[in-house]
Amino acid sequence: MNKLLVTLIAGLFATSVYAQAPAATPAVVKAEATANKDIAKAEAKEAKVVAKSDEKVSKASADATEKKTKAHSKAVKAHAEATTDVAKADPEDKMKAEAKAEKKVAKANLKAEKKMIKADEKAEKVAVEAGADKATAAAKTHEAKVEAVSDVKKAAAKH
């Protein structure tokens, strides 16, 4: 029983000695402070890039919507003009006027569709570029964090 008690007490002292963290040296403290500063700087840069990218996407989307609205309104105007031309036509020229109007409407629709497609394409391109910028910024932030942790470990290893 005494041997068991002595072994338990000795084990308790041994684990308490190993459980204590080594005292932080001034070099380690300085490295940690620098690391925290670098990480904060990297995160701020990333936040800036994300905000700028989101703003670009917003602006591109708004521009696309505006261009699409203009294209649609021009097509509607062409439809109205074609309908008016058919209504004004003489009864004997009605068929000819209708054919001409249909051609005009089809041409206006095609032109509007092309403009809408280009507007969407441009907005998508901006969105993809913004996504790439965000991913790059996130990768740079991750790199800065890893480097900071590495520097702290180096400082701790020296002392």
Side-chain angles (χ1 to χ4, degrees), residues 5 16 25 46 55 63 65 86 97 101 117-118 121 132-133 135 138 148 150 154:
L5 191 57
S16 67
T25 63
E46 181 183 2
E55 183 181 337
D63 287 346
T65 302
V86 169
I117 290 168
K118 279 187 179 181
E121 180 184 16
D133 290 346
S150 175
K154 283 180 189 176

Side-chain angles (χ1 to χ4, degrees), residues 124-157:
E124 286 295 320
K125 185 178 178 183
V126 169
V128 168
E129 288 173 356
D133 290 346
K134 287 179 185 181
T136 302
K140 285 181 180 179
T141 300
H142 180 71
E143 179 187 20
K145 287 178 180 178
V146 170
E147 285 179 3
V149 169
S150 175
D151 290 344
V152 170
K153 285 182 180 179
K154 283 180 189 176

Side-chain angles (χ1 to χ4, degrees), residues 8-154:
L8 288 174
I9 292 173
L12 180 65
F13 282 115
T15 56
S16 67
V17 169
Y18 286 115
Q20 291 178 355
T25 63
V28 173
V29 172
K30 185 177 179 183
E32 286 176 349
T34 303
N36 289 337
K37 187 189 254 186
D38 291 345
I39 290 171
K41 206 183 279 186
E43 287 174 344
K45 280 183 183 179
E46 181 183 2
K48 222 179 207 181
V49 168
V50 167
K52 196 173 186 180
S53 296
D54 288 344
E55 183 181 337
K56 283 181 183 178
V57 170
S58 254
K59 186 176 179 185
S61 179
D63 287 346
T65 302
E66 183 181 340
K67 286 178 182 178
K68 289 164 69 174
T69 303
K70 282 183 182 179
H72 179 70
S73 67
K74 283 184 180 181
V76 168
K77 186 177 177 183
H79 288 231
E81 287 175 0
T83 305
T84 304
D85 290 346
V86 169
K88 286 181 182 179
D90 291 334
E92 62 253 4
D93 293 334
K94 201 80 146 168
M95 292 293 274
K96 192 176 182 183
E98 285 177 357
K100 192 175 181 182
E102 286 176 5
K103 193 174 184 181
K104 186 176 185 179
V105 166
K107 193 174 184 180
N109 285 343
L110 178 64
K111 191 174 182 180
E113 284 294 321
K114 282 183 177 179
K115 285 186 178 186
M116 289 178 184
I117 290 168
K118 279 187 179 181
D120 284 339
E121 180 184 16
K122 188 175 180 182
E124 286 295 320
K125 185 178 178 183
V126 169
V128 168
E129 288 173 356
D133 290 346
K134 287 179 185 181
T136 302
K140 285 181 180 179
T141 300
H142 180 71
E143 179 187 20
K145 287 178 180 178
V146 170
E147 285 179 3
V149 169
S150 175
D151 290 344
V152 170
K153 285 182 180 179
K154 283 180 189 176

